[in-house]
Amino acid sequence: MYTEKIIKPPSGYLTLFLFLLLLVGGICALVAEYFLLGAITLLLNFVLVLPGLIIVNPNESKVLTLFGKYVGTVKADGFFWVNPLTVKRKLSLRARNLNGQQLKVNDKMGNPIEIAAVIVWQVNETAKATFAVENYLQYVNIQSEAAVRHLANTFAYDHMDDESTEITLKDGADKVSVLLEQELNERLSRAGIEVSEARISHLAYAQEIASAMLQRQQATAVIAARKLIVEGAVGMVEMALERLSEKNIVELDEERKAAMVSNLLVVLCGDRNVQPVVNTGTLYN
C-alpha cells in the first residue's frame, strides 16, 4: 500500500525568469546567425525548463510519478518547478457531495423499503486514491451503495416491526448516521477517502406494501388512542361513584351501579354523539 509523501518543490518564479532569459538568448543567437546554439538553447528551454512549471490551486494537489515510481505529492498552493520528466496528475482535495440514488432493499425484518443517503467526502491521502484503486470516484459510489444496503439489512424500519430493538432506521436517525459514517470510513480508507458526514436522505416503505403499512400504523394509533380513552373513562366513572357515595346523593345497589357504569362508559368511550333516552320507569320494571 502506497504511503503519501508530501514534498515542497522550489518556487517557480526563479525558473520562469530563467526560462525568459534563455528564450531571449536563443532568439538573439538565431538573429546573430548562431543557429546551432540558438536551436539547442530553445530546445532545452522548452523541453527541460518550461514543462517543469506547475500551478497548484487551493484545495488541489499534484501527484508526481517518475518512470513509473511515485515521487511525492504537492499539496501547497502556489507556483512551483518540479522535475520536467515527471508525470503530473491533478487531484482535487475539496469536499464533495454524493447524493445516492434511492435503493430498494429489505430491512432486518424482511420488509421492502426505499432508502437513500447523502455523503460528504474528500480525498485525504492522494497516493492511495491514485494508485490503490482503479477509479476512486467509482469506488466511492459502489462502496457507498454497499454500505447503505448493509445498514438497511441490519436494522428494522421502526419499532412496530421489531419491538426488542433499540435502534431503528426511522427513529434512530442520529445513531444510524454515526454507524453509517463509521462503516463508510472503514470501506473507503483503502482509497484514501475520508467521510465527514453521512445521513439518510430518504426512507420509506416500498410502494407495494406502503398502503398496508399505513393502515397498520393507523390501526396502531387508533388502538393507542382507545386505550387512553378507556383508562380515562374508567377513572372518571370511579371518581363519579366515589363522589356520589361521599355526598350521599343517592343510594345505589350493585345493579344500579352496573347500569351507571355501563351508561357512563358508553358516553365517554363512544366515537359519536350520544342520544339520551329518558327512563320514566324503574330499573326493575
Side-chain angles (χ1 to χ4, degrees):
M1 186 66 68
Y2 284 92
T3 303
E4 185 177 67
K5 181 172 64 174
I6 300 176
I7 60 175
K8 183 67 181 293
S11 174
Y13 293 102
L14 181 61
T15 306
L16 179 62
F17 176 76
L18 177 62
F19 168 77
L20 295 176
L21 187 63
L22 292 176
L23 180 63
V24 173
I27 294 175
C28 291
L30 293 177
V31 172
E33 297 185 355
Y34 293 99
F35 298 108
L36 181 60
L37 178 61
I40 293 175
T41 301
L42 293 177
L43 179 63
L44 294 177
N45 197 26
F46 283 96
V47 173
L48 298 180
V49 179
L50 183 62
L53 296 173
I54 61 172
I55 297 175
V56 181
N57 296 316
N59 272 336
E60 286 186 356
S61 64
K62 295 284 187 179
V63 180
L64 308 178
T65 56
L66 180 62
F67 302 123
K69 183 179 180 181
Y70 173 60
V71 175
T73 301
V74 182
K75 283 190 172 181
D77 55 284
F79 186 44
F80 306 101
W81 184 84
V82 297
N83 189 332
L85 300 180
T86 56
V87 177
K88 311 163 191 66
R89 300 181 184 180
K90 183 176 73 172
L91 206 63
S92 176
L93 304 178
R94 297 183 178 93
R96 309 186 190 187
N97 284 322
L98 174 62
N99 189 9
Q101 61 179 349
Q102 294 183 12
L103 306 175
K104 182 181 290 186
V105 297
N106 294 331
D107 67 353
K108 181 181 178 181
M109 306 307 297
N111 297 319
I113 62 174
E114 294 179 353
I115 188 171
V118 173
I119 300 167
V120 181
W121 63 276
Q122 63 186 129
V123 176
N124 189 31
E125 297 187 37
T126 57
K128 291 182 179 180
T130 305
F131 306 114
V133 294
E134 181 69 24
N135 186 329
Y136 72 92
L137 294 175
Q138 184 181 13
Y139 187 83
V140 171
N141 291 332
I142 294 177
Q143 292 300 322
S144 299
E145 180 178 332
V148 173
R149 288 183 180 274
H150 179 260
L151 182 75
N153 295 330
T154 304
F155 300 101
Y157 179 86
D158 56 20
H159 290 289
M160 289 191 298
D161 295 328
D162 187 5
E163 296 181 355
S164 61
T165 186
E166 296 181 358
I167 303 176
T168 62
L169 297 173
K170 181 180 179 181
D171 299 327
D174 293 336
K175 295 181 179 179
V176 169
S177 298
V178 172
L179 294 175
L180 177 60
E181 182 179 334
Q182 292 175 353
E183 182 172 353
L184 285 170
N185 278 315
E186 292 176 1
R187 289 174 175 267
L188 300 178
S189 60
R190 179 182 181 86
I193 305 297
E194 179 183 5
V195 176
S196 57
E197 184 179 1
R199 292 191 175 275
I200 301 299
S201 60
H202 174 78
L203 181 64
Y205 281 113
Q207 293 182 357
E208 54 266 26
I209 67 168
S211 59
M213 290 301 176
L214 179 59
Q215 292 178 359
R216 189 183 69 170
Q217 291 176 355
Q218 292 174 344
T220 303
V222 170
I223 292 173
R226 286 295 177 184
K227 181 179 179 181
L228 183 61
I229 291 173
V230 170
E231 290 178 355
V234 171
M236 294 176 68
V237 170
E238 182 181 4
M239 182 181 65
L241 293 175
E242 290 178 355
R243 296 295 297 273
L244 289 173
S245 177
E246 290 176 359
K247 299 293 185 180
N248 294 322
I249 298 175
V250 64
E251 293 291 337
L252 299 176
D253 57 15
E254 295 301 323
E255 185 177 355
R256 291 184 178 183
K257 286 182 180 180
M260 179 179 178
V261 169
S262 176
N263 292 333
L264 286 176
L265 288 177
V266 170
V267 172
L268 296 173
C269 297
D271 57 351
R272 297 181 181 179
N273 295 329
V274 178
Q275 299 294 331
V277 177
V278 179
N279 185 10
T280 59
T282 66
L283 294 175
Y284 304 102
N285 294 326

